[in-house]
Structures are given as structure tokens and as C-alpha cells.
Amino acid sequence: QHKNLCNSEMATLPSTRALPNPDDQGEDETLLLRNRKNVGRRMPHSLEMSSEEVEGFHKSRFVPSRFLLGYRTLFAVIYVWAIINIVVDPGKLVYLTHWTAALTGIHFVLGAILISKNPVGKMSSLHKLALVVQNVTTGATLGVHVLYMILLYHLMGLDVASAFVHVVNAYAVLLDKVLSCAPTKYEHVHHVGIYVMVYVSWAFIFNYASGEGIYYFMNFKNTTYSWFALAYVPITFTGAFLLVCFVDRLAASAAKSCNGDQRSGTDDAKQNDDVNCSSVHGDNA
């Protein structure tokens, strides 16, 4: 009986395990502040992202995410042929155009996969890969477009196939960036810089090994003016990436402004479906 009484008295005592420990709460707040400071101190080369930035890969602006999924799927199918062409004809691997066209296909495939998934706020290796591919593709497609129109268009013209790898992909990727909430940061400019320097190094090796230049403006062995390509090609590509970052900032501001106008507008304006001016759509239904 004494044992049962003790048990009953103990059962009536309040449980101390359920009570929060003030010291633990203080430690949690300290850890949270420390994490926020670490995010602000990230090195420029870091691929670490906040939960909001990670969720941006799964969201769209101005249009529903279903539309962006369809858009990316369409261009993924179109540019997968570039990868197939390289597999069928490895000789095309020497050209920067085909490097970038294949990269465009990979970019749209990764983008379609991520936009089709619900945001979880947890960074994965897929998010890091998509970020690097996005940074390189946005700068490379626009850089190839600019260089082709200035240096090669007057010699080679522009048929349908050439248009898709020198013009269409540049603006398709740029529009994709406008519609996507995935982060784009100025400090990641070295991603596209490394990409173009790897190609210039390859062109240099190819030129001295074969005696021929892949492009006339990269014939380092036989023409002096080709050495200027070591400057203006990287500048063009990195400048293209910085321009995309600027456009992305403008799109984010416009989306935020449009969303604010919707909230403060009249009922008639809110019911007007002619212009989709929503800031962020995270629904994948």
C-alpha cells in the first residue's frame, strides 16, 4: 500500500520534463543569431543558401509554376538534341556554341525537375548543381549570342538551326530567369568566368596542336590580333552574367510592386484576369 501511495503521489506531481528550460531557449536563440551571422559572412564562392533562397528554385513569379514547368519542359526537349548531336558527332565538341547549347538543355532539365517539386526549404546537392548550371548558362548563352552577332554573323548568316544555338537559347534562358525565383548573385560571376577560361584554354591547346584555330578570332598561333580574345571573350561573358543579375533584380522589384498593387487595388482591378501580376507562385497543384 505504501508503494502504491508513493506511486500515486508521484503521478500527481507536475512533470518537469515538459517544462522548457530557460537556458536551452537562450542557447537556441544564440545559435539562430550565429547562423544568421554566418549566412551574412559567406565567402563569395560559397554555394550555401538560406531556406528562402532554396525555396526560390520551386517558385515562379508573374506566372503560375505550372506554366514555368511547361516552358522548361518544352525547351528541355528542344535542347536535348544538342547533347544528342555531340554524342553522334563528337567533332562538334570543339565548338563553344555546342558546349553552351548542351548546357542549355541541362539547365532546363534541372529547372523542370525542381519546379515540379514542392519546396522543402532544405538545400540539397541538386540545388547546388542547378545554381552553378544556371549561373554558367545565363552568362554563356548571352555571351555566345553577342559574340556571334558581332564576329560571325556577317560570315555565316543565321539559318534555323543556327538561330536556336546562337539567339533563341539566349533569350529563352533570360526569360526563364525573369520568371524564376531561383537566386542569382553578382558574387557568383566567377562561375561563368571559369567556364569561359576553360574553353579559351582548350581553344589555345587545340590551335597549337592542330595549327588551326577553332574560330578565326582564336587563331593564336598564326594571328596576333587573336590574343585580344583573351580579354574581350571573358569580359563579354562575365558582363553578360552581370547584366542577367541586374535584370533579375528588376524583375524581383517589379513582381514585388505588382503584388503590392494587387493588394491595395480596387476589387475591379483584382478581378481583372487580363494581366497576371502575381509575385510568387509556390503552388504545384
mmCIF file with all atom_site columns, all heavy atoms in Angstrom, residues 43 47 65 81 87 89 107 133 142 157 172 180 185-186 192 197 205 226 275-276:
data_model
loop_
_atom_site.group_PDB
_atom_site.id
_atom_site.type_symbol
_atom_site.label_atom_id
_atom_site.label_alt_id
_atom_site.label_comp_id
_atom_site.label_asym_id
_atom_site.label_entity_id
_atom_site.label_seq_id
_atom_site.pdbx_PDB_ins_code
_atom_site.Cartn_x
_atom_site.Cartn_y
_atom_site.Cartn_z
_atom_site.occupancy
_atom_site.B_iso_or_equiv
_atom_site.pdbx_formal_charge
_atom_site.auth_seq_id
_atom_site.auth_comp_id
_atom_site.auth_asym_id
_atom_site.auth_atom_id
_atom_site.pdbx_PDB_model_num
ATOM 1   N N   . MET A 1 43  ? 31.538 33.198 -47.927 1.00 0.00 ? 43  MET A N   1
ATOM 2   C CA  . MET A 1 43  ? 32.555 33.555 -48.913 1.00 0.00 ? 43  MET A CA  1
ATOM 3   C C   . MET A 1 43  ? 31.897 33.681 -50.286 1.00 0.00 ? 43  MET A C   1
ATOM 4   O O   . MET A 1 43  ? 30.880 33.039 -50.559 1.00 0.00 ? 43  MET A O   1
ATOM 5   C CB  . MET A 1 43  ? 33.641 32.496 -48.938 1.00 0.00 ? 43  MET A CB  1
ATOM 6   C CG  . MET A 1 43  ? 34.408 32.373 -47.636 1.00 0.00 ? 43  MET A CG  1
ATOM 7   S SD  . MET A 1 43  ? 35.316 33.881 -47.245 1.00 0.00 ? 43  MET A SD  1
ATOM 8   C CE  . MET A 1 43  ? 36.561 33.841 -48.525 1.00 0.00 ? 43  MET A CE  1
ATOM 9   N N   . LEU A 1 47  ? 28.360 28.092 -52.026 1.00 0.00 ? 47  LEU A N   1
ATOM 10  C CA  . LEU A 1 47  ? 27.079 27.713 -52.613 1.00 0.00 ? 47  LEU A CA  1
ATOM 11  C C   . LEU A 1 47  ? 26.006 27.545 -51.547 1.00 0.00 ? 47  LEU A C   1
ATOM 12  O O   . LEU A 1 47  ? 24.900 27.102 -51.852 1.00 0.00 ? 47  LEU A O   1
ATOM 13  C CB  . LEU A 1 47  ? 27.233 26.405 -53.400 1.00 0.00 ? 47  LEU A CB  1
ATOM 14  C CG  . LEU A 1 47  ? 28.158 26.460 -54.622 1.00 0.00 ? 47  LEU A CG  1
ATOM 15  C CD1 . LEU A 1 47  ? 28.246 25.082 -55.267 1.00 0.00 ? 47  LEU A CD1 1
ATOM 16  C CD2 . LEU A 1 47  ? 27.679 27.490 -55.628 1.00 0.00 ? 47  LEU A CD2 1
ATOM 17  N N   . SER A 1 65  ? 3.422  28.373 -61.368 1.00 0.00 ? 65  SER A N   1
ATOM 18  C CA  . SER A 1 65  ? 4.541  27.452 -61.520 1.00 0.00 ? 65  SER A CA  1
ATOM 19  C C   . SER A 1 65  ? 4.258  26.384 -62.565 1.00 0.00 ? 65  SER A C   1
ATOM 20  O O   . SER A 1 65  ? 5.181  25.845 -63.170 1.00 0.00 ? 65  SER A O   1
ATOM 21  C CB  . SER A 1 65  ? 4.881  26.804 -60.177 1.00 0.00 ? 65  SER A CB  1
ATOM 22  O OG  . SER A 1 65  ? 3.751  26.127 -59.653 1.00 0.00 ? 65  SER A OG  1
ATOM 23  N N   . TRP A 1 81  ? 18.498 17.768 -77.998 1.00 0.00 ? 81  TRP A N   1
ATOM 24  C CA  . TRP A 1 81  ? 19.079 17.382 -79.287 1.00 0.00 ? 81  TRP A CA  1
ATOM 25  C C   . TRP A 1 81  ? 20.532 17.841 -79.396 1.00 0.00 ? 81  TRP A C   1
ATOM 26  O O   . TRP A 1 81  ? 21.339 17.218 -80.095 1.00 0.00 ? 81  TRP A O   1
ATOM 27  C CB  . TRP A 1 81  ? 18.269 17.932 -80.448 1.00 0.00 ? 81  TRP A CB  1
ATOM 28  C CG  . TRP A 1 81  ? 18.366 19.411 -80.631 1.00 0.00 ? 81  TRP A CG  1
ATOM 29  C CD1 . TRP A 1 81  ? 17.543 20.345 -80.119 1.00 0.00 ? 81  TRP A CD1 1
ATOM 30  C CD2 . TRP A 1 81  ? 19.348 20.132 -81.389 1.00 0.00 ? 81  TRP A CD2 1
ATOM 31  N NE1 . TRP A 1 81  ? 17.948 21.607 -80.484 1.00 0.00 ? 81  TRP A NE1 1
ATOM 32  C CE2 . TRP A 1 81  ? 19.047 21.504 -81.271 1.00 0.00 ? 81  TRP A CE2 1
ATOM 33  C CE3 . TRP A 1 81  ? 20.454 19.749 -82.147 1.00 0.00 ? 81  TRP A CE3 1
ATOM 34  C CZ2 . TRP A 1 81  ? 19.801 22.497 -81.871 1.00 0.00 ? 81  TRP A CZ2 1
ATOM 35  C CZ3 . TRP A 1 81  ? 21.212 20.752 -82.760 1.00 0.00 ? 81  TRP A CZ3 1
ATOM 36  C CH2 . TRP A 1 81  ? 20.881 22.102 -82.619 1.00 0.00 ? 81  TRP A CH2 1
ATOM 37  N N   . VAL A 1 87  ? 26.930 13.578 -78.977 1.00 0.00 ? 87  VAL A N   1
ATOM 38  C CA  . VAL A 1 87  ? 27.181 12.141 -78.838 1.00 0.00 ? 87  VAL A CA  1
ATOM 39  C C   . VAL A 1 87  ? 27.339 11.494 -80.213 1.00 0.00 ? 87  VAL A C   1
ATOM 40  O O   . VAL A 1 87  ? 28.225 10.658 -80.432 1.00 0.00 ? 87  VAL A O   1
ATOM 41  C CB  . VAL A 1 87  ? 26.038 11.468 -78.050 1.00 0.00 ? 87  VAL A CB  1
ATOM 42  C CG1 . VAL A 1 87  ? 26.208 9.955  -78.041 1.00 0.00 ? 87  VAL A CG1 1
ATOM 43  C CG2 . VAL A 1 87  ? 25.993 12.004 -76.624 1.00 0.00 ? 87  VAL A CG2 1
ATOM 44  N N   . ASP A 1 89  ? 28.084 13.100 -83.111 1.00 0.00 ? 89  ASP A N   1
ATOM 45  C CA  . ASP A 1 89  ? 29.208 13.691 -83.829 1.00 0.00 ? 89  ASP A CA  1
ATOM 46  C C   . ASP A 1 89  ? 30.131 14.379 -82.822 1.00 0.00 ? 89  ASP A C   1
ATOM 47  O O   . ASP A 1 89  ? 30.011 15.580 -82.564 1.00 0.00 ? 89  ASP A O   1
ATOM 48  C CB  . ASP A 1 89  ? 28.698 14.703 -84.850 1.00 0.00 ? 89  ASP A CB  1
ATOM 49  C CG  . ASP A 1 89  ? 29.827 15.295 -85.688 1.00 0.00 ? 89  ASP A CG  1
ATOM 50  O OD1 . ASP A 1 89  ? 30.977 14.821 -85.571 1.00 0.00 ? 89  ASP A OD1 1
ATOM 51  O OD2 . ASP A 1 89  ? 29.561 16.250 -86.460 1.00 0.00 ? 89  ASP A OD2 1
ATOM 52  N N   . HIS A 1 107 ? 20.334 22.787 -68.161 1.00 0.00 ? 107 HIS A N   1
ATOM 53  C CA  . HIS A 1 107 ? 19.718 23.827 -67.331 1.00 0.00 ? 107 HIS A CA  1
ATOM 54  C C   . HIS A 1 107 ? 18.201 23.675 -67.283 1.00 0.00 ? 107 HIS A C   1
ATOM 55  O O   . HIS A 1 107 ? 17.597 23.730 -66.197 1.00 0.00 ? 107 HIS A O   1
ATOM 56  C CB  . HIS A 1 107 ? 20.086 25.204 -67.883 1.00 0.00 ? 107 HIS A CB  1
ATOM 57  C CG  . HIS A 1 107 ? 19.277 26.329 -67.330 1.00 0.00 ? 107 HIS A CG  1
ATOM 58  N ND1 . HIS A 1 107 ? 19.409 26.790 -66.033 1.00 0.00 ? 107 HIS A ND1 1
ATOM 59  C CD2 . HIS A 1 107 ? 18.295 27.084 -67.898 1.00 0.00 ? 107 HIS A CD2 1
ATOM 60  C CE1 . HIS A 1 107 ? 18.556 27.780 -65.818 1.00 0.00 ? 107 HIS A CE1 1
ATOM 61  N NE2 . HIS A 1 107 ? 17.872 27.975 -66.933 1.00 0.00 ? 107 HIS A NE2 1
ATOM 62  N N   . VAL A 1 133 ? 24.868 25.515 -62.697 1.00 0.00 ? 133 VAL A N   1
ATOM 63  C CA  . VAL A 1 133 ? 24.481 25.405 -64.114 1.00 0.00 ? 133 VAL A CA  1
ATOM 64  C C   . VAL A 1 133 ? 23.719 26.639 -64.551 1.00 0.00 ? 133 VAL A C   1
ATOM 65  O O   . VAL A 1 133 ? 23.928 27.166 -65.661 1.00 0.00 ? 133 VAL A O   1
ATOM 66  C CB  . VAL A 1 133 ? 23.639 24.134 -64.336 1.00 0.00 ? 133 VAL A CB  1
ATOM 67  C CG1 . VAL A 1 133 ? 23.059 24.117 -65.753 1.00 0.00 ? 133 VAL A CG1 1
ATOM 68  C CG2 . VAL A 1 133 ? 24.481 22.885 -64.108 1.00 0.00 ? 133 VAL A CG2 1
ATOM 69  N N   . LEU A 1 142 ? 24.034 34.211 -73.388 1.00 0.00 ? 142 LEU A N   1
ATOM 70  C CA  . LEU A 1 142 ? 24.008 35.606 -73.826 1.00 0.00 ? 142 LEU A CA  1
ATOM 71  C C   . LEU A 1 142 ? 25.363 36.024 -74.386 1.00 0.00 ? 142 LEU A C   1
ATOM 72  O O   . LEU A 1 142 ? 25.438 36.790 -75.358 1.00 0.00 ? 142 LEU A O   1
ATOM 73  C CB  . LEU A 1 142 ? 23.614 36.517 -72.655 1.00 0.00 ? 142 LEU A CB  1
ATOM 74  C CG  . LEU A 1 142 ? 23.273 37.967 -72.978 1.00 0.00 ? 142 LEU A CG  1
ATOM 75  C CD1 . LEU A 1 142 ? 22.143 38.031 -74.003 1.00 0.00 ? 142 LEU A CD1 1
ATOM 76  C CD2 . LEU A 1 142 ? 22.882 38.721 -71.710 1.00 0.00 ? 142 LEU A CD2 1
ATOM 77  N N   . GLY A 1 157 ? 25.880 33.912 -91.471 1.00 0.00 ? 157 GLY A N   1
ATOM 78  C CA  . GLY A 1 157 ? 24.444 34.082 -91.550 1.00 0.00 ? 157 GLY A CA  1
ATOM 79  C C   . GLY A 1 157 ? 23.725 33.414 -90.382 1.00 0.00 ? 157 GLY A C   1
ATOM 80  O O   . GLY A 1 157 ? 24.332 33.084 -89.356 1.00 0.00 ? 157 GLY A O   1
ATOM 81  N N   . ALA A 1 172 ? 15.596 32.580 -74.372 1.00 0.00 ? 172 ALA A N   1
ATOM 82  C CA  . ALA A 1 172 ? 14.798 31.598 -73.641 1.00 0.00 ? 172 ALA A CA  1
ATOM 83  C C   . ALA A 1 172 ? 15.293 31.474 -72.203 1.00 0.00 ? 172 ALA A C   1
ATOM 84  O O   . ALA A 1 172 ? 14.499 31.411 -71.258 1.00 0.00 ? 172 ALA A O   1
ATOM 85  C CB  . ALA A 1 172 ? 14.843 30.239 -74.338 1.00 0.00 ? 172 ALA A CB  1
ATOM 86  N N   . SER A 1 180 ? 11.615 32.942 -62.922 1.00 0.00 ? 180 SER A N   1
ATOM 87  C CA  . SER A 1 180 ? 12.026 32.065 -61.827 1.00 0.00 ? 180 SER A CA  1
ATOM 88  C C   . SER A 1 180 ? 12.431 32.864 -60.600 1.00 0.00 ? 180 SER A C   1
ATOM 89  O O   . SER A 1 180 ? 12.984 33.960 -60.705 1.00 0.00 ? 180 SER A O   1
ATOM 90  C CB  . SER A 1 180 ? 13.207 31.189 -62.267 1.00 0.00 ? 180 SER A CB  1
ATOM 91  O OG  . SER A 1 180 ? 13.746 30.477 -61.175 1.00 0.00 ? 180 SER A OG  1
ATOM 92  N N   . LYS A 1 185 ? 23.233 35.798 -57.993 1.00 0.00 ? 185 LYS A N   1
ATOM 93  C CA  . LYS A 1 185 ? 24.053 36.698 -57.184 1.00 0.00 ? 185 LYS A CA  1
ATOM 94  C C   . LYS A 1 185 ? 25.250 37.199 -57.973 1.00 0.00 ? 185 LYS A C   1
ATOM 95  O O   . LYS A 1 185 ? 25.912 36.433 -58.666 1.00 0.00 ? 185 LYS A O   1
ATOM 96  C CB  . LYS A 1 185 ? 24.533 35.967 -55.924 1.00 0.00 ? 185 LYS A CB  1
ATOM 97  C CG  . LYS A 1 185 ? 23.402 35.397 -55.078 1.00 0.00 ? 185 LYS A CG  1
ATOM 98  C CD  . LYS A 1 185 ? 23.943 34.619 -53.896 1.00 0.00 ? 185 LYS A CD  1
ATOM 99  C CE  . LYS A 1 185 ? 22.813 34.004 -53.086 1.00 0.00 ? 185 LYS A CE  1
ATOM 100 N NZ  . LYS A 1 185 ? 23.318 33.243 -51.920 1.00 0.00 ? 185 LYS A NZ  1
ATOM 101 N N   . TYR A 1 186 ? 25.524 38.493 -57.825 1.00 0.00 ? 186 TYR A N   1
ATOM 102 C CA  . TYR A 1 186 ? 26.655 39.093 -58.515 1.00 0.00 ? 186 TYR A CA  1
ATOM 103 C C   . TYR A 1 186 ? 27.966 38.399 -58.150 1.00 0.00 ? 186 TYR A C   1
ATOM 104 O O   . TYR A 1 186 ? 28.854 38.255 -58.997 1.00 0.00 ? 186 TYR A O   1
ATOM 105 C CB  . TYR A 1 186 ? 26.755 40.576 -58.168 1.00 0.00 ? 186 TYR A CB  1
ATOM 106 C CG  . TYR A 1 186 ? 25.676 41.435 -58.769 1.00 0.00 ? 186 TYR A CG  1
ATOM 107 C CD1 . TYR A 1 186 ? 24.636 41.938 -57.986 1.00 0.00 ? 186 TYR A CD1 1
ATOM 108 C CD2 . TYR A 1 186 ? 25.693 41.757 -60.121 1.00 0.00 ? 186 TYR A CD2 1
ATOM 109 C CE1 . TYR A 1 186 ? 23.645 42.731 -58.538 1.00 0.00 ? 186 TYR A CE1 1
ATOM 110 C CE2 . TYR A 1 186 ? 24.717 42.560 -60.687 1.00 0.00 ? 186 TYR A CE2 1
ATOM 111 C CZ  . TYR A 1 186 ? 23.694 43.049 -59.888 1.00 0.00 ? 186 TYR A CZ  1
ATOM 112 O OH  . TYR A 1 186 ? 22.712 43.835 -60.440 1.00 0.00 ? 186 TYR A OH  1
ATOM 113 N N   . VAL A 1 192 ? 30.759 31.652 -64.430 1.00 0.00 ? 192 VAL A N   1
ATOM 114 C CA  . VAL A 1 192 ? 30.829 31.774 -65.897 1.00 0.00 ? 192 VAL A CA  1
ATOM 115 C C   . VAL A 1 192 ? 32.237 32.164 -66.318 1.00 0.00 ? 192 VAL A C   1
ATOM 116 O O   . VAL A 1 192 ? 32.692 31.803 -67.413 1.00 0.00 ? 192 VAL A O   1
ATOM 117 C CB  . VAL A 1 192 ? 29.783 32.792 -66.408 1.00 0.00 ? 192 VAL A CB  1
ATOM 118 C CG1 . VAL A 1 192 ? 30.145 34.208 -66.009 1.00 0.00 ? 192 VAL A CG1 1
ATOM 119 C CG2 . VAL A 1 192 ? 29.649 32.698 -67.925 1.00 0.00 ? 192 VAL A CG2 1
ATOM 120 N N   . MET A 1 197 ? 37.079 30.610 -69.388 1.00 0.00 ? 197 MET A N   1
ATOM 121 C CA  . MET A 1 197 ? 38.529 30.447 -69.380 1.00 0.00 ? 197 MET A CA  1
ATOM 122 C C   . MET A 1 197 ? 38.936 29.003 -69.677 1.00 0.00 ? 197 MET A C   1
ATOM 123 O O   . MET A 1 197 ? 39.972 28.758 -70.297 1.00 0.00 ? 197 MET A O   1
ATOM 124 C CB  . MET A 1 197 ? 39.100 30.904 -68.039 1.00 0.00 ? 197 MET A CB  1
ATOM 125 C CG  . MET A 1 197 ? 39.046 32.414 -67.825 1.00 0.00 ? 197 MET A CG  1
ATOM 126 S SD  . MET A 1 197 ? 39.729 33.382 -69.198 1.00 0.00 ? 197 MET A SD  1
ATOM 127 C CE  . MET A 1 197 ? 41.430 32.800 -69.245 1.00 0.00 ? 197 MET A CE  1
ATOM 128 N N   . ILE A 1 205 ? 45.029 25.237 -76.724 1.00 0.00 ? 205 ILE A N   1
ATOM 129 C CA  . ILE A 1 205 ? 45.680 23.935 -76.893 1.00 0.00 ? 205 ILE A CA  1
ATOM 130 C C   . ILE A 1 205 ? 45.372 23.356 -78.277 1.00 0.00 ? 205 ILE A C   1
ATOM 131 O O   . ILE A 1 205 ? 46.263 22.846 -78.975 1.00 0.00 ? 205 ILE A O   1
ATOM 132 C CB  . ILE A 1 205 ? 45.232 22.969 -75.784 1.00 0.00 ? 205 ILE A CB  1
ATOM 133 C CG1 . ILE A 1 205 ? 45.727 23.466 -74.421 1.00 0.00 ? 205 ILE A CG1 1
ATOM 134 C CG2 . ILE A 1 205 ? 45.747 21.556 -76.057 1.00 0.00 ? 205 ILE A CG2 1
ATOM 135 C CD1 . ILE A 1 205 ? 45.174 22.689 -73.249 1.00 0.00 ? 205 ILE A CD1 1
ATOM 136 N N   . SER A 1 226 ? 44.414 37.730 -82.465 1.00 0.00 ? 226 SER A N   1
ATOM 137 C CA  . SER A 1 226 ? 43.643 36.729 -81.729 1.00 0.00 ? 226 SER A CA  1
ATOM 138 C C   . SER A 1 226 ? 43.924 36.780 -80.233 1.00 0.00 ? 226 SER A C   1
ATOM 139 O O   . SER A 1 226 ? 43.088 36.356 -79.429 1.00 0.00 ? 226 SER A O   1
ATOM 140 C CB  . SER A 1 226 ? 43.959 35.326 -82.260 1.00 0.00 ? 226 SER A CB  1
ATOM 141 O OG  . SER A 1 226 ? 43.474 35.159 -83.571 1.00 0.00 ? 226 SER A OG  1
ATOM 142 N N   . VAL A 1 275 ? -4.077 40.474 -66.984 1.00 0.00 ? 275 VAL A N   1
ATOM 143 C CA  . VAL A 1 275 ? -2.655 40.549 -66.680 1.00 0.00 ? 275 VAL A CA  1
ATOM 144 C C   . VAL A 1 275 ? -2.387 39.778 -65.401 1.00 0.00 ? 275 VAL A C   1
ATOM 145 O O   . VAL A 1 275 ? -2.972 40.077 -64.370 1.00 0.00 ? 275 VAL A O   1
ATOM 146 C CB  . VAL A 1 275 ? -2.197 42.022 -66.513 1.00 0.00 ? 275 VAL A CB  1
ATOM 147 C CG1 . VAL A 1 275 ? -0.718 42.060 -66.172 1.00 0.00 ? 275 VAL A CG1 1
ATOM 148 C CG2 . VAL A 1 275 ? -2.463 42.805 -67.784 1.00 0.00 ? 275 VAL A CG2 1
ATOM 149 N N   . ASN A 1 276 ? -1.525 38.791 -65.501 1.00 0.00 ? 276 ASN A N   1
ATOM 150 C CA  . ASN A 1 276 ? -1.135 38.029 -64.328 1.00 0.00 ? 276 ASN A CA  1
ATOM 151 C C   . ASN A 1 276 ? 0.032  38.747 -63.684 1.00 0.00 ? 276 ASN A C   1
ATOM 152 O O   . ASN A 1 276 ? 1.129  38.773 -64.218 1.00 0.00 ? 276 ASN A O   1
ATOM 153 C CB  . ASN A 1 276 ? -0.726 36.604 -64.721 1.00 0.00 ? 276 ASN A CB  1
ATOM 154 C CG  . ASN A 1 276 ? -0.528 35.720 -63.510 1.00 0.00 ? 276 ASN A CG  1
ATOM 155 O OD1 . ASN A 1 276 ? -0.260 36.211 -62.427 1.00 0.00 ? 276 ASN A OD1 1
ATOM 156 N ND2 . ASN A 1 276 ? -0.677 34.426 -63.710 1.00 0.00 ? 276 ASN A ND2 1
#
